[in-house]
Amino acid sequence: MSNKKTPVRVYLNENELPKQWYNIQADMPNPIKPYLNPMTKELVQPQDLAPLFPMALIEQEMSTERYIDIPEEVLDKYKSFRYSPLVRAYGLEKAIGTTARIYYKYEGTNPSGSHKLNTAVPQAYYNKKEGIKRISTETGAGQWGTALSIACAMYGLECVVYMVRVSYDQKPYRKAVMQTYGATVYASPSKETNVGRSILEKDPNSLGSLGIAISEAVEDAVMREDTHYALGSVLNHVILHQTIIGLESLTQFEKMGDYPDMVIGCNGGGSNFSGCAFPFIKHKISGEKDTRFIAVEPAACPKLTKGKFTYDFGDTGKMAPITHMYTLGHDFIPAGIHAGGLRYHGDSALLSQLYHDGYVEAQAVHQTDVFKAAVTFAKAESILPAPESAHAIAVAISEANKCTEKGEDKAIFFNLSGHGHFDLTAYEAYNSGKLEDFEYTDAMLKQGLATVPEI
Amino acid sequence: MSNKKTPVRVYLNENELPKQWYNIQADMPNPIKPYLNPMTKELVQPQDLAPLFPMALIEQEMSTERYIDIPEEVLDKYKSFRYSPLVRAYGLEKAIGTTARIYYKYEGTNPSGSHKLNTAVPQAYYNKKEGIKRISTETGAGQWGTALSIACAMYGLECVVYMVRVSYDQKPYRKAVMQTYGATVYASPSKETNVGRSILEKDPNSLGSLGIAISEAVEDAVMREDTHYALGSVLNHVILHQTIIGLESLTQFEKMGDYPDMVIGCNGGGSNFSGCAFPFIKHKISGEKDTRFIAVEPAACPKLTKGKFTYDFGDTGKMAPITHMYTLGHDFIPAGIHAGGLRYHGDSALLSQLYHDGYVEAQAVHQTDVFKAAVTFAKAESILPAPESAHAIAVAISEANKCTEKGEDKAIFFNLSGHGHFDLTAYEAYNSGKLEDFEYTDAMLKQGLATVPEI
């Protein structure tokens, strides 16, 4: 066991919350390549994005300012829900008998149950300020749809969620949550949009997909003056907002009297990992610290470990900007793992570049190992983790075990991005020995990458 | 709107947590009447309870010491999960346009999602210390079973939960949570006990009841040397542990720079209301303060407002001690409202006595009004409340509206005892206009009270 004793948990008071977000674009050794217009393949101009996003968010998307002020009105909301502790995982350390020190930041205490609310709130705020009345979005597993519903309720905005049909049918509880906060939830494909109607004409029983739902939400926003679109991950401004996690963690580690040797996070569209890691990566880029950063992805959707670093479409419908990133191909549909939030074919441009440049490592883990780690964690630390977050736990445990073998006393830090209260079908399957695992094959890789455009 | 500005929320640091529980038995103007043995109707002696509880808890049950030390080992656990804020409900105040100040203590941030963990932990601790290996209990809605599963996992104890068959079938997710923490969950009536087997012989399709489940859990504990029984409400030692809520709130109100004019809580077996209210009632008994205390019960189970103050059995199976309390009769089975935690025919002896002596008021509210209040609260404060907790919200709102009518600037405080993440069938029913309401009739009262024993 590590001899270094720290408090069990550290909270921040209202007045200790960060007042600015951190923009890693100011410090990256190699900048990201710009977005391309999906129709023309020309460089995207700010005005191209204006039908979808308020100008303040478009400016953040393109900005290279190092710190960007959090508006007072957003800070007030952060004060109301950001009671996110940094916890020393004494219970887990004991359960696995490690020489390492393990810490986690818990993002599941807010009403949405995950880190998604950190960006939903400023997105709703900037839209409200620009006179927008209504926000459309898509949701798969439902964490993002829930967060945006809550944020829209805060600011009196209408919220329209296109929810993948198979989730809509299988997860009536998630739908009930969003509706309770006042959102309108459509099963996608729906009769509300041209995209939806044309798909339903061909296949009235379509189960839908995230790609279709994105296309519907984008069309909804483009067709209506009073409506904008919101995305829950991938984009630079989303990651900017999520740096609140890492910035708080830096302060909390100071109060703990420690600093992480490893920072670990699960990786879907990149916002959870990046939001937690980027404020620490700043110290690595500057040469102050030599921390390891590990992005954890499902073995069923291994974009960083198996994908290609290239320009690709962000969505199946080819309506979103073409992004330079790690991708498995925009037509690749990952297996139905329970970590729905990690089933995205591509990745954040920022994270992709930093991975490419060697600042970040990646590991792919199997669903059965993830749930084994989740249950170990739940018993030891009392919190039931989201399947997505449990990817980070699995690697934190395996890295801690490596420390133990070498007798090393390292500080391992991971982001516990949310709770698993709405993922209990998955736990039920695991408890009863019925959880499936999924392999990602070379044939899948070849087939997926064949759809990547030549640019 | 109230002109008095306070912080949005107040947290306590680890070192600010109370180090003792408060025992109101030291300060009650009229003591409670003692428990009677259900078989002999003689006074219950400590050794009568020894097959069920560790001696430390039996001593707490009978104690009249004003403050009882929280063991260091329990305090360590409290430090790990008691990040329970006192929140100024600015959002709700604005939504209903009130002149009152509204505050709530939020007990849903811990991993069990409700206040139940506050007593599950010390109960598991004292049992562990006495060499017990296994704890049996019953659960209806599942909050208590979840809390005890987590506490048993903390101390490496086996946990056996008899879950009412109808809940077992209708709430597979609750079962999955308990199993993930390592608990064994039986549908009750089960084949594990004589009581269960005899009921199944007569009716193989029995849906079960809380009364049957209690009898099974008690039998399980009595028949095995290594096993004790644990109860999640009603008893004095349970309420003692729950005073952590009110004690913390007192400190938090000091930091807020305010003091409540009203304290409101929902009331099932009494532990949530009492745990929050008793440390404040101390100041009313002493004459220092003139706060109003309002216990809120469902109109479908109105023990305080319609029941009789008398000796009655604590359970349908007549195995638990006979208690002097407000009761609707131990054979009364309340309608299937969604606030499962409030469906108990009787009440805490302590709370019953204080209600009888005029220190506490009671109000009964209808299920449809409760959910209307719950949705108003969710939209305004972002937290999805448990149906039980929403009873307190409904009365807080109606009392705030009365203040507004009179132009009064009063401080209203309620305990938000848990979140509603596992109660979404109820929200779904409400959202789709299918939520039923239930009336409690004079005929029910007459029929229920007919079963009360003559003592």
Side-chain angles (χ1 to χ4, degrees):
Chain A
M1 305 285 288
S2 169
N3 289 324
K4 189 177 173 91
K5 290 290 164 215
T6 62
V8 176
R9 65 192 167 113
V10 169
Y11 280 93
L12 297 181
N13 293 320
E14 286 189 18
N15 51 17
E16 294 172 309
L17 293 189
K19 303 207 168 29
Q20 299 180 308
W21 294 299
Y22 168 61
N23 181 10
I24 202 161
Q25 295 197 67
D27 292 315
M28 287 171 76
N30 298 308
I32 53 172
K33 293 196 183 167
Y35 295 127
L36 304 182
N37 184 306
M39 310 289 283
T40 64
K41 296 183 182 166
E42 302 286 318
L43 289 189
V44 163
Q45 301 300 323
Q47 62 270 25
D48 295 347
L49 299 172
L52 296 181
F53 305 111
M55 204 41 73
L57 291 178
I58 297 170
E59 280 164 17
Q60 290 179 359
E61 190 67 24
M62 313 277 188
S63 171
T64 53
E65 285 292 312
R66 183 167 289 113
Y67 291 101
I68 293 179
D69 287 346
I70 303 173
E72 202 60 46
E73 295 86 341
V74 172
L75 207 53
D76 277 349
K77 299 294 179 191
Y78 277 178
K79 285 178 186 173
S80 77
F81 71 80
R82 283 206 62 70
Y83 31 96
S84 158
L86 178 68
V87 183
R88 171 78 182 270
Y90 282 113
L92 181 62
E93 289 176 20
K94 192 176 163 197
I96 64 170
T98 183
T99 54
R101 305 188 293 289
I102 307 179
Y103 297 91
Y104 57 92
K105 172 89 169 160
Y106 185 37
E107 288 287 317
T109 55
N110 77 59
S112 82
S114 83
H115 67 295
K116 295 285 183 187
L117 198 56
N118 301 334
T119 184
V121 167
Q123 288 196 50
Y125 165 75
Y126 288 118
N127 274 295
K128 172 82 175 183
K129 214 178 152 200
E130 212 173 82
I132 288 296
K133 306 284 184 218
R134 196 168 163 278
I135 301 184
S136 69
T137 198
E138 71 290 330
T139 204
Q143 287 190 324
W144 168 241
T146 301
L148 192 66
S149 302
I150 293 175
C152 284
M154 284 179 181
Y155 292 103
L157 295 167
E158 265 188 76
C159 184
V160 183
V161 181
Y162 291 88
M163 186 173 189
V164 177
R165 160 69 73 181
V166 60
S167 300
Y168 185 93
D169 291 339
Q170 284 177 356
K171 298 196 171 194
Y173 291 163
R174 269 290 186 189
K175 184 177 55 186
V177 174
M178 293 184 270
Q179 286 169 338
T180 299
Y181 289 113
T184 304
V185 186
Y186 296 117
S188 168
S190 76
K191 291 186 177 161
E192 303 297 313
T193 65
N194 291 325
V195 175
R197 282 185 294 267
S198 84
I199 289 165
L200 286 175
E201 249 172 52
K202 286 177 219 151
D203 178 8
N205 300 319
S206 166
L207 294 178
S209 74
L210 208 50
I212 296 168
I214 293 177
S215 304
E216 288 206 277
V218 168
E219 183 187 320
D220 185 308
V222 170
M223 300 299 282
R224 293 181 56 149
E225 269 296 312
D226 64 349
T227 302
H228 269 164
Y229 168 74
L231 193 65
S233 190
V234 181
L235 298 178
N236 305 340
H237 69 265
V238 176
I239 288 171
L240 176 78
H241 304 154
Q242 293 295 358
T243 60
I244 188 86
I245 303 172
L247 292 165
E248 282 186 9
S249 302
L250 275 172
T251 310
Q252 286 168 311
F253 265 110
E254 236 173 79
K255 288 178 177 250
M256 277 279 184
D258 210 341
Y259 191 94
D261 297 301
M262 282 174 237
V263 176
I264 299 169
C266 64
N267 176 35
S271 77
N272 148 65
F273 174 83
S274 306
C276 182
F278 283 4
F280 291 89
I281 291 185
K282 179 175 186 291
H283 297 168
K284 180 162 185 162
I285 293 173
S286 69
E288 282 170 81
K289 296 281 183 183
D290 192 27
T291 311
R292 283 177 64 199
F293 297 90
I294 310 173
V296 188
E297 53 191 20
C301 191
K303 53 275 196 99
L304 289 181
T305 52
K306 299 252 174 111
K308 192 174 164 186
F309 190 45
T310 181
Y311 266 116
D312 193 9
F313 293 100
D315 64 327
T316 320
K318 303 185 187 181
M319 296 178 77
I322 300 176
T323 305
H324 194 256
M325 61 182 175
Y326 279 86
T327 177
L328 296 167
H330 62 274
D331 271 348
F332 171 66
I333 295 179
I337 53 168
H338 288 284
L342 307 184
R343 294 176 68 241
Y344 182 62
H345 70 277
D347 215 321
S348 140
L350 297 169
L351 175 57
S352 292
Q353 187 65 50
L354 288 163
Y355 174 67
H356 186 73
D357 292 343
Y359 290 96
V360 175
E361 308 165 39
Q363 293 185 27
V365 290
H366 282 270
Q367 177 157 266
T368 40
D369 297 331
V370 165
F371 275 87
K372 191 179 164 201
V375 171
T376 300
F377 181 82
K379 286 183 182 164
E381 292 289 325
S382 305
I383 297 168
L384 192 80
E388 290 84 355
S389 322
H391 282 69
I393 298 172
V395 170
I397 290 176
S398 74
E399 291 294 332
N401 288 340
K402 285 180 206 164
C403 288
T404 311
E405 281 164 31
K406 297 184 201 158
E408 285 176 349
D409 177 10
K410 287 193 174 161
I412 298 173
F413 170 47
F414 67 92
N415 190 24
L416 187 68
S417 55
H419 63 59
H421 297 175
F422 301 111
D423 302 286
L424 284 159
T425 40
Y427 279 95
E428 217 189 355
Y430 180 78
N431 291 338
S432 58
K434 287 179 191 152
L435 191 80
E436 280 184 273
D437 211 346
F438 297 97
E439 276 300 329
Y440 180 83
T441 64
D442 288 345
M444 286 176 184
L445 181 62
K446 206 174 153 190
Q447 197 181 356
L449 290 185
T451 67
V452 171
E454 301 263 339
I455 288 165
Chain B
M1 302 287 285
S2 169
N3 288 324
K4 189 176 173 89
K5 289 292 165 214
T6 63
V8 176
R9 64 191 168 114
V10 169
Y11 279 93
L12 297 181
N13 293 320
E14 286 189 17
N15 51 18
E16 294 172 308
L17 293 188
K19 304 208 167 28
Q20 299 180 307
W21 294 299
Y22 168 62
N23 181 10
I24 202 162
Q25 295 196 69
D27 291 314
M28 288 172 76
N30 297 307
I32 54 172
K33 291 196 184 168
Y35 295 127
L36 304 182
N37 185 306
M39 310 289 283
T40 62
K41 296 182 182 166
E42 302 287 316
L43 288 190
V44 164
Q45 301 301 323
Q47 63 269 26
D48 295 348
L49 299 172
L52 296 181
F53 305 111
M55 204 42 74
L57 291 179
I58 297 170
E59 280 165 18
Q60 290 179 359
E61 189 66 25
M62 313 275 186
S63 171
T64 52
E65 285 292 312
R66 183 167 289 112
Y67 290 101
I68 294 178
D69 286 347
I70 303 173
E72 203 59 47
E73 295 87 341
V74 172
L75 207 53
D76 277 350
K77 299 294 178 192
Y78 277 177
K79 285 178 186 173
S80 76
F81 71 80
R82 283 206 61 69
Y83 31 98
S84 158
L86 177 68
V87 184
R88 171 79 182 268
Y90 283 112
L92 181 62
E93 289 176 20
K94 193 176 162 197
I96 63 170
T98 183
T99 54
R101 306 188 294 286
I102 306 180
Y103 297 90
Y104 58 92
K105 172 87 168 162
Y106 184 37
E107 288 288 317
T109 55
N110 78 59
S112 82
S114 83
H115 67 295
K116 295 285 183 188
L117 197 57
N118 301 334
T119 184
V121 168
Q123 288 195 50
Y125 165 76
Y126 288 118
N127 274 294
K128 172 83 175 181
K129 216 180 149 196
E130 212 173 83
I132 287 297
K133 306 283 182 219
R134 196 169 164 278
I135 301 183
S136 69
T137 197
E138 73 288 330
T139 205
Q143 287 189 323
W144 168 240
T146 301
L148 192 66
S149 302
I150 293 175
C152 284
M154 284 179 182
Y155 291 103
L157 295 166
E158 266 187 78
C159 183
V160 183
V161 182
Y162 291 88
M163 187 173 189
V164 177
R165 160 69 73 180
V166 61
S167 300
Y168 186 92
D169 292 339
Q170 283 177 356
K171 298 197 173 194
Y173 290 163
R174 268 293 184 187
K175 184 177 55 188
V177 175
M178 292 184 269
Q179 286 169 337
T180 300
Y181 289 113
T184 303
V185 186
Y186 295 117
S188 166
S190 77
K191 290 185 177 160
E192 301 298 313
T193 66
N194 291 326
V195 174
R197 282 186 292 268
S198 83
I199 290 166
L200 287 175
E201 249 172 52
K202 286 176 219 153
D203 178 8
N205 300 317
S206 167
L207 295 178
S209 73
L210 208 52
I212 296 169
I214 293 177
S215 303
E216 287 207 277
V218 167
E219 184 187 320
D220 184 307
V222 170
M223 301 300 281
R224 292 182 58 148
E225 268 297 310
D226 65 347
T227 302
H228 270 163
Y229 168 73
L231 192 65
S233 190
V234 180
L235 298 178
N236 304 340
H237 69 265
V238 176
I239 288 170
L240 176 77
H241 304 154
Q242 293 295 358
T243 59
I244 188 85
I245 304 171
L247 292 165
E248 283 186 9
S249 303
L250 274 172
T251 309
Q252 288 168 310
F253 265 110
E254 236 174 79
K255 288 179 176 249
M256 278 279 183
D258 210 341
Y259 192 94
D261 296 302
M262 281 174 237
V263 177
I264 299 169
C266 65
N267 176 36
S271 76
N272 148 65
F273 175 82
S274 306
C276 182
F278 283 3
F280 291 89
I281 290 186
K282 179 174 185 292
H283 297 168
K284 181 163 182 161
I285 294 174
S286 69
E288 282 170 81
K289 296 280 183 184
D290 191 28
T291 311
R292 282 177 63 200
F293 297 90
I294 309 174
V296 187
E297 54 191 18
C301 191
K303 53 276 197 98
L304 290 182
T305 51
K306 299 252 175 111
K308 191 173 165 187
F309 190 44
T310 182
Y311 266 117
D312 193 10
F313 294 100
D315 63 327
T316 320
K318 302 185 186 179
M319 295 179 77
I322 300 175
T323 304
H324 194 256
M325 62 183 175
Y326 278 86
T327 178
L328 296 167
H330 62 273
D331 271 349
F332 171 65
I333 296 178
I337 54 167
H338 288 284
L342 307 184
R343 293 175 70 242
Y344 182 62
H345 70 277
D347 215 320
S348 139
L350 296 169
L351 175 55
S352 293
Q353 187 66 50
L354 288 163
Y355 174 66
H356 186 73
D357 291 343
Y359 291 97
V360 175
E361 307 165 40
Q363 292 186 27
V365 290
H366 282 272
Q367 176 157 265
T368 40
D369 296 331
V370 164
F371 276 87
K372 192 179 163 201
V375 172
T376 300
F377 181 82
K379 287 183 181 165
E381 292 289 324
S382 302
I383 298 169
L384 193 78
E388 289 85 355
S389 321
H391 283 68
I393 299 172
V395 170
I397 291 176
S398 75
E399 290 294 333
N401 289 341
K402 284 180 208 165
C403 288
T404 311
E405 280 164 31
K406 295 184 201 158
E408 286 176 347
D409 177 9
K410 287 193 174 163
I412 298 174
F413 170 46
F414 67 92
N415 190 24
L416 188 67
S417 54
H419 62 60
H421 297 174
F422 301 111
D423 303 287
L424 284 159
T425 41
Y427 280 95
E428 218 190 356
Y430 179 78
N431 292 337
S432 58
K434 288 178 190 152
L435 191 80
E436 280 184 274
D437 210 346
F438 297 98
E439 276 300 329
Y440 180 83
T441 63
D442 288 345
M444 286 175 182
L445 181 63
K446 207 174 151 190
Q447 198 181 354
L449 291 184
T451 68
V452 170
E454 302 261 340
I455 288 163

